[in-house]
Amino acid sequence: MDLLLTRTEEDMLARAVELARNEVAPKAQNWEEERRQPIEALRAASLAGLAGLEVPEHLGGFGGRFRLKARIAEEIARDCFAFSFSLINHMGLAGKIARDAPTEIAEKYLPEMLAGEAIGCTALTEPDAGSDFAAITTLAKKVDGGWVINGEKAWITNAANANLMFLYAQTDPAAGWRGVAGFLIDAREDGVSRVPPFEIMGGHAIGTGGFKLEDHFVPDIRMMSVPGDGFKAAMNSVNAARTYVATMCCGMTEAAIDLAASYASERAAFGGHIADFQGLRWRLADAQTEVEAARLLAYRAVLAVENGTNAELPAAHAKKYAARMADEQLSHCMQVMGAAGLRREYPLGRQIACARIANYVDGTTEIQNERIARALFSKNKKKK
Ligand SMILES: Cc1cc2nc3c(=O)[nH]c(=O)nc-3n(C[C@H](O)[C@H](O)[C@H](O)COP(=O)(O)OP(=O)(O)OC[C@H]3O[C@@H](n4cnc5c(N)ncnc54)[C@H](O)[C@@H]3O)c2cc1C
């Protein structure tokens, strides 16, 4: 299965690949060592047209299909999973504003997002609510003309530099998930402060951090999902997110296999090269088969998301398989390279950390299994 692209989509993908090879690959390790998010690279990618990938042309964007986003995420992740994830999250908010916000809001915020002057993020997670998203306590209270929001968000991609945030908040704690609504927050306004970015094991280019909201007023016009729809909107967008995380795992792992194969072909041992040993060749061949299998699941999920059919299960299978696959196969690639695989000049340590990240973001691997098990057991119950 391949995701066929139009000529203009192919050109956009080529532009993204060029940016990745020239602006991302040579710098990714430095970003990690400097423990910082490369805001200049996000701006460059935005100016190259990537921020507006899902924004329609009449609003200044490219109007690309979901398959193009998934392919771009996959290609950039070959060079830096963390940067790819950050860019895709920025792109995602621009697309959401174009799709769901009133025209005056879209016209106000999209130009600065497409120029990379305002970076976007999406905030569900809180210090005390991760997998159990319905348990969020950030509270939105209705007042004249808008809402007053209090609470804290944690583990938010791009929070180190983001100015615009799609924030999920509870409007009625007694209503549980039915009370969750979604707001577009401008973090430059009063009552929003940034929590210093988190120091984590790898993946600093993601710019993970948080925000505190203290009596922050947001006008009615920036409530983009009404109570009840907020939870459903989050669940729908998370299917797309799980899907591109799966394609990113494929890109990152395949790049590591290519590196290990090339290293093994050059590394001399016992009168030949280590690539001559069948056990080692087969290890990489198995890794490649795993990538192919993960990619099939991922592309199937891409088509489900793009066609608007129920993508919950395809996305859950794809993300679970791809994140586990990256976890396992990246360490095999490192093993093939012997001690050299640990060296700074190779990206494997960074990639292994990012494979761990892939097992948490947009729902952990266990949560994907919960989705799959729920469907499995309800199907079997109905049969009885
Ligand atoms: C780099 C990075 C970027 C992120 N970016 C964002 C972002 O942009 N926006 C955002 O809102 N969030 C973001 N997150 C947060 C991410 O979505 C959460 O980490 C994730 O939802 C899991 O929550 P948690 O880490 O609090 O784990 P917990 O919910 O505390 O879970 C801990 C462990 O318990 C397991 N567990 C929990 N519930 C169940 C269950 N029902 N059955 C079986 N096992 C269970 C989990 O799988 C996990 O292994 C990011 C996280 C990281 C690491």
Side-chain angles (χ1 to χ4, degrees):
M1 188 198 301
D2 204 359
L3 295 175
L4 296 178
L5 300 178
T6 63
R7 173 62 72 82
T8 45
E9 286 172 336
E10 294 267 10
D11 291 346
M12 183 52 118
L13 180 62
R15 214 186 298 171
V17 170
E18 191 186 335
L19 181 118
R21 305 300 175 255
N22 297 334
E23 298 297 322
V24 177
K27 298 174 186 164
Q29 185 58 28
N30 284 344
W31 298 335
E32 183 51 30
E33 283 160 17
E34 291 159 11
R35 296 184 167 268
R36 73 177 183 94
Q37 180 175 42
I39 181 73
E40 70 287 357
L42 267 182
R43 291 211 174 105
S46 300
L47 286 172
L50 293 175
L53 195 86
E54 294 180 292
V55 173
E57 285 174 82
H58 72 272
L59 289 170
F62 178 78
R65 293 178 294 174
F66 182 67
R67 68 181 62 193
L68 179 60
K69 182 179 188 177
R71 285 287 294 116
I72 286 176
E74 180 178 358
E75 285 296 332
I76 299 181
R78 287 184 70 95
D79 294 315
C80 182
F81 181 100
F83 179 75
S84 182
F85 193 63
S86 154
L87 175 63
I88 288 289
N89 270 267
H90 172 51
M91 202 188 264
L93 183 62
K96 185 163 186 58
I97 291 175
R99 225 173 18 252
D100 298 341
T103 311
E104 67 175 280
I105 297 296
E107 286 176 353
K108 177 171 177 191
Y109 288 117
L110 281 178
E112 55 178 2
M113 288 196 83
L114 301 198
E117 284 156 14
I119 299 301
C121 67
T122 299
L124 293 82
T125 306
E126 299 183 354
D128 295 323
S131 306
D132 188 5
F133 164 53
I136 60 171
T137 57
T138 293
L139 191 65
K141 209 169 150 216
K142 187 74 187 101
V143 293
D144 261 3
W147 299 77
V148 170
I149 304 190
N150 281 284
E152 185 170 342
K153 293 291 173 181
W155 289 107
I156 307 307
T157 296
N158 289 341
N161 288 289
N163 307 111
L164 295 171
M165 162 174 36
F166 189 78
L167 171 129
Y168 290 93
Q170 181 55 265
T171 61
D172 177 5
W177 66 265
R178 289 185 183 80
V180 174
F183 300 87
L184 179 64
I185 304 293
D186 185 337
R188 294 161 293 195
E189 292 176 355
D190 288 347
V192 186
S193 57
R194 212 179 295 276
V195 173
F198 299 166
E199 298 223 358
I200 55 177
M201 300 286 289
H204 284 88
I206 296 179
T208 318
F211 291 96
K212 278 195 178 124
L213 294 103
E214 291 163 299
D215 290 333
H216 172 69
F217 175 79
V218 55
D220 282 326
I221 194 167
R222 283 202 255 132
M223 178 192 253
M224 280 169 52
S225 298
V226 298
D229 282 1
F231 190 81
K232 287 183 208 151
M235 291 303 110
N236 281 339
S237 61
V238 96
N239 292 333
R242 288 169 182 170
T243 301
Y244 59 66
V245 169
T247 68
M248 287 165 61
C249 287
C250 294
M252 172 168 69
T253 310
E254 193 166 61
I257 296 169
D258 290 347
L259 170 68
S262 140
Y263 179 88
S265 306
E266 305 276 315
R267 172 74 175 165
F270 299 100
H273 293 104
I274 56 171
D276 301 334
F277 304 129
Q278 194 175 51
L280 189 143
R281 297 165 68 81
W282 283 14
R283 182 165 265 191
L284 290 183
D286 281 346
Q288 185 65 44
T289 303
E290 288 296 307
V291 169
E292 300 294 337
R295 187 176 278 133
L296 281 175
L297 283 174
Y299 285 5
R300 181 182 73 150
V302 168
L303 295 179
V305 170
E306 194 177 274
N307 296 337
T309 49
N310 187 348
E312 186 183 22
L313 286 176
H317 284 295
K319 182 175 184 275
K320 176 179 90 166
Y321 194 87
R324 280 184 180 165
M325 179 280 295
D327 239 1
E328 284 166 21
Q329 302 310 327
L330 285 166
S331 66
H332 289 325
C333 292
M334 194 186 246
Q335 186 68 19
V336 161
M337 291 178 64
L342 292 166
R343 293 187 63 168
R344 177 191 181 277
E345 69 207 75
Y346 298 121
L348 289 157
R350 195 159 37 84
Q351 289 170 330
I352 285 172
C354 284
R356 293 274 71 245
I357 288 172
N359 278 277
Y360 304 133
V361 291
D362 297 306
T364 63
T365 301
E366 292 76 15
I367 291 298
Q368 310 313 312
N369 245 353
E370 260 311 293
R371 295 287 165 277
I372 296 163
R374 200 173 58 194
L376 179 71
F377 284 93
S378 78
K379 185 177 74 184
N380 282 316
K381 215 182 205 171
K382 275 183 214 145
K383 274 188 192 157
K384 283 183 189 160

